[in-house]
Amino acid sequence: MRYDISYEITSLVFLICIAVHFYSKKSYPSSLNNMFGLYLSCCMADIVLDIIGVGLIADAELVPLWLNYAVNIGYYLMQMLMPYLMFSYVLILTERMAAMRLKRRFMTALPFLVIAVVIITTPFTRLIFYYDENLVYTYGDISWITYVFSTGYVIATDAIIIIDRQKLTRRHLITLLSFTVISFIAITIQFFNHRLLVTGVAMTACLMILYLTLQNSRHITDGLTEMLDKNSFDLYIREQMLLRSSRSYIVIVGLCSIRVLELTLGVYLTEKLIKHLCAHVNELSESNPTFRINDEQVAIVLSGKDSARVLAGCLHNSVNCSHNLDGMEISVSGSVAYMQTPCQRYSHSDVLHIIQRMTDIIRKCADNRLICFDESAIEQLRREESIIHAMRESVDDPSKPGLQVWLQPMFSPGNGRFMSAEALLRFTHPTLGSISPEEFIPLAESNAILPELGEFVLRRVCEYERDYSLSRMLKNISINISEAELLNEGIARRTMGIIEEFAIDKSFICLEVMETIDTDSYPAIHRHINEISSSGVSFLLDDFGCGYANFDSIMSLPFACVKLDKSILNATENSPRAQVVLKVMINMIHDIDMLVIAEGAENREQVALLESMGVDLIQGYYFAHAMPIAQCVEFLKSAEATSRERALSACH
């Protein structure tokens, strides 16, 4: 029998081109890439053995019989191995392989092992093929089983694709299904026409489709630096967590601020500098996988703490120096951090969140630091991530326990009763317990949750007024409003919408603005404060004396009152001069028709001093702590009853 090998030769040329391109491009040692490389190598070996085998069959009488058997056995083994490798590729892609125990992995390979034994023993059994007495290549009695075997793996592959289609993208589904269709067609043609060798062509076509879609290097590399990108980094970390018992080390290099560079150097030179720095990082990292995870940061994954520490130090020294670019000496700076990937009790998403927090910390470093994130630092980052996640959940679903709004009443010396209260946010984590505002408020601010928290507090206060008629006991309730909220174009509409939704008297709401907001630098803040104030909501300047607001900004905005920072009151205890300053400050605020609130009063001496200076409202532990709404209502009712009794006693 004469075979047509022209298709096989053409296929081999294409496979060599794919192999050269695949192995020359930047890649990382993932199971998926390794499986593709193995599949590519087996396909090339299959075609080479097929071509050699055809030649040996034609001239069987001129070569040793054992060589004919060896080449054709190798060809059949490659033919049987490729369907199994494709099946394994899909198992890795759908993450089934990572979840399999060793026994189940062995079971998936068992059909191949059985058919391999049958093929290897065929010189003795003549089941698959043999050479007759005239040295003519002849098919064995069960040669058809090889087609059944290949078809079985193709069907199993299709079943996995269909079952796990939710884990795959549209591109994955189209590519993999077309792969199996082409394979099935090739098996059918080969079964009915042994002379026409088309399996090599089919496998080459499938590999080409696979390489241009799922294995396309453009999908995993950064266009500017040709480093591996953020998506490939996420996949790599995922596989590290799923498949490896040993823990890797991650070094993250903060290159420099792209925006600052673009302003000083221009876009062209900035891109050139980034490419230069990334090439330098690649050189220092040697064979370890490198990833450009965002515009300003590069990550290197390696094993061994000592090697990570040494590499981090080298990169820190290398980044923070002058670089020659087109004859220009350009000085750049950046921070470098390294850490060991957290242990197996963390999920893949947890690790990526920790790494994201790590990159945020590096970006915010004002000084060029070399940072080691040890186990305690990672635990702290993990704690912060848990707090942030729980806060988001509580904001999205207020019925869940976690965030609560407490009230701290303010006492009016002039009226002898509580006239106002401040709404204060409290947070209890499901597993960590009570979290201090000093911890969760900065986390909310750095993670852009403050606007949602502001709306949460406002809505709760409106609910309290509706349910408890607080306006019968208090003139108003003050609510902190953040800079992020005041910069939002929709703040006035949303604020008034919530108040109107509950039909609350607008004068009952007072918004506290931190003095540390640089009001002169934000015209939008001025506009929004004026817009909300014109609707009837009053404003209070909070923490006056600890920031950089001046009396001009106080007079230019419609503040109804000013709250003095508690540090001013604390300073008066041992300083007569501080008492004079406090008195002058209170008089000046009164002179421009604003009320004065003093916070932080904790003892009788402080209260007496503030009363003597004519402060309008006093807030502090001396009078009342912050408390839940039900407790606060009872407290106010009790205080109101006591106040009436004192008034009646005075009359009698």
Side-chain angles (χ1 to χ4, degrees):
M1 182 184 291
R2 290 287 176 179
Y3 294 92
D4 185 354
I5 63 171
S6 57
Y7 293 114
E8 300 289 77
I9 294 173
T10 305
S11 300
L12 183 60
V13 173
F14 272 96
L15 285 177
I16 291 172
C17 294
I18 294 173
V20 170
H21 194 266
F22 174 73
Y23 288 111
S24 64
K25 287 293 181 181
K26 183 72 174 178
S27 186
Y28 59 95
S30 70
S31 297
L32 205 61
N33 281 341
N34 292 341
M35 186 59 68
F36 179 82
L38 181 60
Y39 192 95
L40 177 60
S41 300
C42 288
C43 192
M44 292 174 65
D46 172 75
I47 293 176
V48 170
L49 289 171
D50 197 14
I51 294 172
I52 295 173
V54 168
L56 293 178
I57 289 172
D59 300 306
E61 69 279 358
L62 301 178
V63 295
L65 185 60
W66 66 265
L67 182 59
N68 264 298
Y69 271 113
V71 170
N72 281 283
I73 286 173
Y75 163 71
Y76 271 102
L77 288 175
M78 292 299 104
Q79 282 276 300
M80 299 302 100
L81 182 58
M82 285 190 295
Y84 169 67
L85 292 180
M86 185 57 201
F87 178 69
S88 299
Y89 183 92
V90 172
L91 288 179
I92 294 172
L93 190 64
T94 56
E95 298 180 358
R96 281 178 173 261
M97 185 71 82
M100 283 184 180
R101 296 180 179 271
L102 185 60
K103 183 178 179 180
R104 291 194 64 187
R105 293 188 188 188
F106 174 78
M107 293 302 295
T108 63
L110 185 59
F112 168 74
L113 296 176
V114 172
I115 197 72
V117 171
V118 174
I119 292 170
I120 292 171
T121 59
T122 201
F124 310 103
T125 62
R126 295 191 169 194
L127 292 175
I128 304 298
F129 71 93
Y130 62 93
Y131 289 86
D132 62 15
E133 59 275 4
N134 298 318
L135 295 179
V136 176
Y137 178 85
T138 306
Y139 288 102
D141 293 338
I142 62 168
S143 60
W144 51 268
I145 200 172
T146 58
Y147 298 97
V148 173
F149 170 86
S150 300
T151 303
Y153 266 117
V154 170
I155 293 172
T157 302
D158 277 337
I160 295 297
I161 294 170
I162 293 170
I163 292 171
D164 290 341
R165 61 186 179 277
Q166 299 298 331
K167 299 179 182 179
L168 304 172
T169 65
R170 183 180 178 84
R171 187 174 76 245
H172 287 146
L173 288 171
I174 293 173
T175 300
L176 296 174
L177 290 175
S178 64
F179 193 109
T180 56
V181 169
I182 292 172
S183 300
F184 183 77
I185 292 172
I187 293 169
T188 304
I189 293 173
Q190 192 73 65
F191 179 76
F192 290 105
N193 190 341
H194 295 299
R195 189 184 66 83
L196 192 62
L197 304 178
V198 296
T199 54
V201 176
M203 291 301 100
T204 301
C206 292
L207 278 167
M208 180 69 77
I209 294 171
L210 198 62
Y211 188 58
L212 293 177
T213 53
L214 306 190
Q215 296 293 142
N216 194 331
S217 60
R218 291 197 308 171
H219 295 156
I220 62 170
T221 54
D222 174 62
L224 176 64
T225 63
E226 295 188 356
M227 279 184 166
L228 295 165
D229 64 7
K230 178 66 165 59
N231 290 331
S232 58
F233 177 73
D234 292 353
L235 291 172
Y236 186 78
I237 295 298
R238 184 178 187 85
E239 185 164 306
Q240 290 273 311
M241 298 296 295
L242 288 173
L243 300 179
R244 301 192 180 184
S245 56
S246 60
R247 293 160 64 189
S248 301
Y249 283 82
I250 300 172
V251 179
I252 296 182
V253 185
L255 299 176
C256 40
S257 175
I258 299 297
R259 292 182 180 179
V260 173
L261 286 176
E262 287 179 348
L263 289 173
T264 55
L265 300 177
V267 175
Y268 172 75
L269 281 178
T270 297
E271 290 184 349
K272 197 165 184 178
L273 177 62
I274 294 298
K275 289 174 68 175
H276 168 78
L277 292 172
C278 288
H280 196 50
V281 170
N282 255 332
E283 182 181 348
L284 289 173
S285 63
E286 297 177 345
S287 59
N288 296 301
T290 56
F291 307 83
R292 191 183 184 201
I293 56 177
N294 56 50
D295 287 345
E296 301 171 1
Q297 294 176 335
V298 171
I300 305 102
V301 182
L302 64 165
S303 59
K305 184 175 182 179
D306 291 337
S307 56
R309 182 169 55 245
V310 171
L311 178 60
C314 291
L315 289 169
H316 184 261
N317 294 333
S318 177
V319 170
N320 292 286
C321 65
S322 296
H323 296 264
N324 189 287
L325 195 67
D326 293 345
M328 297 172 56
E329 287 293 326
I330 301 175
S331 295
V332 296
S333 61
S335 296
V336 178
Y338 65 97
M339 67 171 237
Q340 188 176 21
T341 53
C343 55
Q344 294 296 329
R345 69 175 180 271
Y346 295 115
S347 67
H348 162 250
S349 58
D350 289 336
V351 174
L352 289 181
H353 279 308
I354 291 170
I355 294 171
Q356 181 60 52
R357 290 280 299 143
M358 181 175 165
T359 61
D360 291 341
I361 290 170
I362 295 172
R363 185 182 290 110
K364 293 174 183 177
C365 284
D367 51 343
N368 310 319
R369 298 168 59 194
L370 177 59
I371 311 166
C372 173
F373 283 88
D374 56 14
E375 195 69 34
S376 62
I378 293 173
E379 287 293 337
Q380 178 60 28
L381 291 177
R382 183 70 183 92
R383 172 186 170 89
E384 292 176 2
E385 282 299 320
S386 180
I387 292 171
I388 293 165
H389 177 72
M391 273 197 294
R392 290 189 189 278
E393 279 195 335
S394 190
V395 168
D396 294 338
D397 185 2
S399 64
K400 290 186 175 181
L403 289 171
Q404 291 183 323
V405 177
W406 289 13
L407 300 181
Q408 184 177 22
M410 303 182 200
F411 187 77
S412 170
N415 293 281
R417 58 187 293 267
F418 292 98
M419 296 291 291
S420 182
E422 180 180 4
L424 297 170
L425 201 58
R426 295 293 182 262
F427 177 61
T428 303
H429 191 275
T431 57
L432 300 176
S434 180
I435 307 297
S436 167
E438 283 74 18
E439 182 177 5
F440 74 79
I441 293 297
L443 287 176
E445 184 176 9
S446 61
N447 288 272
I449 310 176
L450 275 184
E452 288 86 351
L453 292 184
E455 289 190 17
F456 179 89
V457 174
L458 176 58
R459 188 170 290 276
R460 277 288 182 270
V461 169
C462 290
E463 289 176 356
Y464 293 166
E465 165 59 8
R466 179 195 62 191
D467 298 339
Y468 294 95
S469 300
L470 294 176
S471 56
R472 294 180 180 179
M473 296 175 279
L474 300 172
K475 181 180 179 182
N476 58 38
I477 292 181
S478 61
I479 301 169
N480 288 282
I481 186 168
S482 66
E483 177 180 348
E485 291 175 271
L486 287 172
L487 286 171
N488 194 303
E489 286 300 323
I491 180 62
R493 184 185 69 256
R494 285 198 299 274
T495 300
M496 303 317 299
I498 293 172
I499 295 173
E500 291 170 0
E501 176 187 343
F502 289 90
I504 302 300
D505 186 350
K506 297 179 179 63
S507 64
F508 185 69
I509 302 298
C510 177
L511 299 179
E512 293 195 22
V513 180
M514 291 286 291
E515 190 210 11
T516 48
I517 292 179
D518 187 359
T519 51
D520 289 330
S521 302
Y522 298 106
I525 291 179
H526 286 247
R527 187 174 72 256
H528 295 152
I529 289 178
N530 283 316
E531 186 178 352
I532 297 172
S533 178
S534 64
S535 301
V537 175
S538 60
F539 276 85
L540 179 157
L541 182 61
D542 192 16
D543 293 337
F544 184 77
C546 71
Y548 44 77
N550 51 52
F551 279 94
D552 179 64
S553 63
I554 291 176
M555 291 183 292
S556 65
L557 289 169
F559 291 118
C561 54
V562 173
K563 182 183 287 188
L564 303 177
D565 186 69
K566 61 182 179 181
S567 62
I568 300 174
L569 178 60
N570 293 336
T572 62
E573 290 188 4
N574 301 311
S575 174
R577 289 187 176 183
Q579 294 183 17
V580 173
V581 171
L582 176 61
K583 178 63 176 176
V584 171
M585 193 179 293
I586 293 171
N587 289 337
M588 285 192 297
I589 296 171
H590 280 156
D591 287 343
I592 54 176
D593 290 331
M594 291 186 186
L595 300 178
V596 178
I597 302 173
E599 65 176 349
E602 298 180 358
N603 54 60
R604 181 58 199 164
E605 291 74 16
Q606 290 176 329
V607 171
L609 177 65
L610 293 172
E611 289 178 344
S612 67
M613 292 184 178
V615 168
D616 300 287
L617 291 169
I618 303 175
Q619 179 180 357
Y621 291 164
Y622 178 80
F623 289 107
H625 288 69
M627 57 193 84
I629 179 60
Q631 183 181 342
C632 184
V633 169
E634 291 302 316
F635 174 84
L636 291 173
K637 288 180 179 178
S638 175
E640 187 69 24
T642 302
S643 177
R644 283 198 298 269
E645 289 176 4
R646 288 177 180 174
L648 289 173
S649 287
C651 291
H652 293 302

